[in-house]
Amino acid sequence: MPSSQQMNRNTRKYELNSALSVLQVFNPLNDYHIHHINQSTSPSLLHDLIEQARKTTTFTIDTEDDYYTHQPALIQIEFIQHKSIILLIEINHLPHSSSVVFWLIRSLLKVIFNSLNVIYSWGDAKDQLSKFIPSRLLSSETLLEINNMNTQKIFKNWRDRKPKRQCISVSLDTVNRLCTYSLQEHREEQEIASQIQANQALSTIVEQEEEEENYAVLDYLDDYNPMNTLIIIDLPWPQASE
């Protein structure tokens, strides 16, 4: 059964979706197919994706962190084609680094990030991907070769040059809902982070107390060990009778 906190969050998300319903529905310009890349991905599919990547010259990329741990968790890549291919690379569910599947995933990324290709991103792609180097899917050398097109910077320049700006009319109630939702989400994230820190601190204290108790037991045994008060005399071994 979901907790009250989760139910409240779901309620707020429902209200947020209702508030955003005044916006136009986003419709992609082309069809797409999604592939989840993880330890269950078949080698044959990865071979096919590598071939498709070699035929593609433009890609979009985005990354996501885990909601609770804030650690790098997902790499999203789109092959920009008539029918786009979407890759969702699940970092926390990758195969062992010595497996064939892992090697194929790494090879796929190397083809995608070839310097001859253009990688579109919202923000600096190299900065986003650098967090995934510990996963061993990417190397710093591969990141240096990326031909990145930062659309966030391009959009900012376009917006600054645009003489007229069209704004969507949104009610004050919608604005209030958005602000309230963002504030509550921020508070919950802070509470989760504080709880994690408290648990880590408590775990450290418990370990220290257990270690002190172990030392106390050893001291007790040393103090009351009867062998400490005995004098052991090294008697000669009896000689064998001839």
Side-chain angles (χ1 to χ4, degrees):
M1 183 176 181
S3 63
S4 58
Q5 185 179 18
Q6 182 64 39
M7 293 177 64
N8 291 336
R9 181 178 298 170
N10 292 338
T11 301
R12 290 198 304 275
K13 286 185 177 180
Y14 175 79
E15 293 177 351
L16 177 63
N17 290 333
S18 299
L20 294 176
S21 62
V22 298
L23 303 177
Q24 295 181 354
V25 177
F26 172 76
N27 293 313
L29 298 177
N30 55 348
D31 295 331
Y32 60 91
H33 186 77
I34 298 176
H35 295 285
H36 292 264
I37 307 300
N38 50 46
Q39 57 191 357
S40 301
T41 306
S42 66
S44 60
L45 173 59
L46 290 170
H47 280 293
D48 291 340
L49 291 174
I50 289 173
E51 289 302 315
Q52 288 294 330
R54 287 173 177 163
K55 299 175 183 178
T56 308
T57 58
T58 53
F59 302 83
T60 61
I61 186 172
D62 187 31
T63 62
E64 297 292 341
D65 294 341
D66 185 90
Y67 181 82
Y68 294 102
T69 64
H70 304 291
Q71 296 299 313
L74 186 69
I75 301 177
Q76 305 169 91
I77 301 176
E78 176 192 8
F79 296 38
I80 301 180
Q81 300 176 349
H82 178 68
K83 183 176 182 179
S84 293
I85 297 173
I86 309 295
L87 304 183
L88 301 180
I89 304 176
E90 303 170 81
I91 300 301
N92 295 326
H93 302 282
L94 291 175
H96 193 273
S97 58
S98 62
S99 66
V100 174
V101 172
F102 186 91
W103 182 83
L104 288 172
I105 297 173
R106 184 181 173 92
S107 300
L108 173 60
L109 291 179
K110 193 168 184 179
V111 172
I112 292 173
F113 296 134
N114 186 292
S115 59
L116 298 178
N117 297 330
V118 179
I119 308 297
Y120 292 96
S121 63
W122 185 258
D124 190 339
K126 296 180 181 180
D127 182 57
Q128 295 181 38
L129 291 170
S130 63
K131 299 181 295 184
F132 294 88
I133 290 179
S135 69
R136 302 179 66 181
L137 278 181
L138 300 164
S139 65
S140 55
E141 291 78 11
T142 301
L143 294 185
L144 291 175
E145 296 179 0
I146 293 179
N147 180 17
N148 182 213
M149 189 72 68
N150 187 344
T151 55
Q152 186 180 48
K153 185 180 296 184
I154 296 173
F155 175 78
K156 183 179 183 301
N157 294 335
W158 170 83
R159 185 190 61 181
D160 293 342
R161 293 195 308 267
K162 190 173 177 62
K164 295 181 180 180
R165 300 178 183 178
Q166 297 178 349
C167 299
I168 299 175
S169 177
V170 180
S171 66
L172 180 60
D173 179 63
T174 300
V175 174
N176 290 335
R177 287 187 182 183
L178 292 175
C179 293
T180 302
Y181 177 82
S182 300
L183 180 60
Q184 289 175 333
E185 286 292 308
H186 177 67
R187 287 176 177 173
E188 286 189 3
E189 288 183 0
Q190 287 185 325
E191 290 176 0
I192 292 171
S194 299
Q195 186 62 41
I196 292 174
Q197 292 178 353
N199 291 339
Q200 291 175 344
L202 179 60
S203 176
T204 302
I205 293 173
V206 170
E207 290 177 357
Q208 291 177 348
E209 290 179 349
E210 290 179 350
E211 187 175 356
E212 291 175 357
E213 289 178 359
N214 291 336
Y215 281 126
V217 171
L218 292 176
D219 292 340
Y220 173 83
L221 293 176
D222 287 340
D223 292 340
Y224 293 93
N225 188 350
M227 294 300 294
N228 292 339
T229 60
L230 295 180
I231 300 176
I232 301 176
I233 302 176
D234 188 10
L235 297 177
W237 288 94
Q239 299 294 327
S241 59
E242 296 180 356

